[in-house]
Amino acid sequence: MDAGRGRVRDRVTSSGGTIRHDIYSFPGACRFHFVDPAGNELAVWSHDPDRR
């Protein structure tokens, strides 16, 4: 896992968000899903040029 994605995940949780699906890889990228304090489910997606 890239340290940047880990920092973003940590920031989400420290701001009251709940991780719904932890960081996972798929061809060309990584992402995680979270629920914000208002109940909205969102995702953070990051391009990963080393994954194909």
Side-chain angles (χ1 to χ4, degrees):
M1 164 180 58
D2 179 84
R5 287 184 285 263
R7 282 193 302 270
V8 171
R9 182 188 58 197
D10 293 346
R11 193 120 184 241
V12 164
T13 57
S14 69
S15 298
T18 303
I19 302 301
R20 182 85 180 241
H21 300 284
D22 207 356
I23 297 172
Y24 62 95
S25 299
F26 57 95
C30 295
R31 71 178 174 202
F32 70 92
H33 294 240
F34 67 96
V35 178
D36 72 10
N40 301 299
E41 185 167 353
L42 305 159
V44 174
W45 179 91
S46 176
H47 176 71
D48 189 348
D50 295 330
R51 295 208 178 266
R52 302 210 188 276

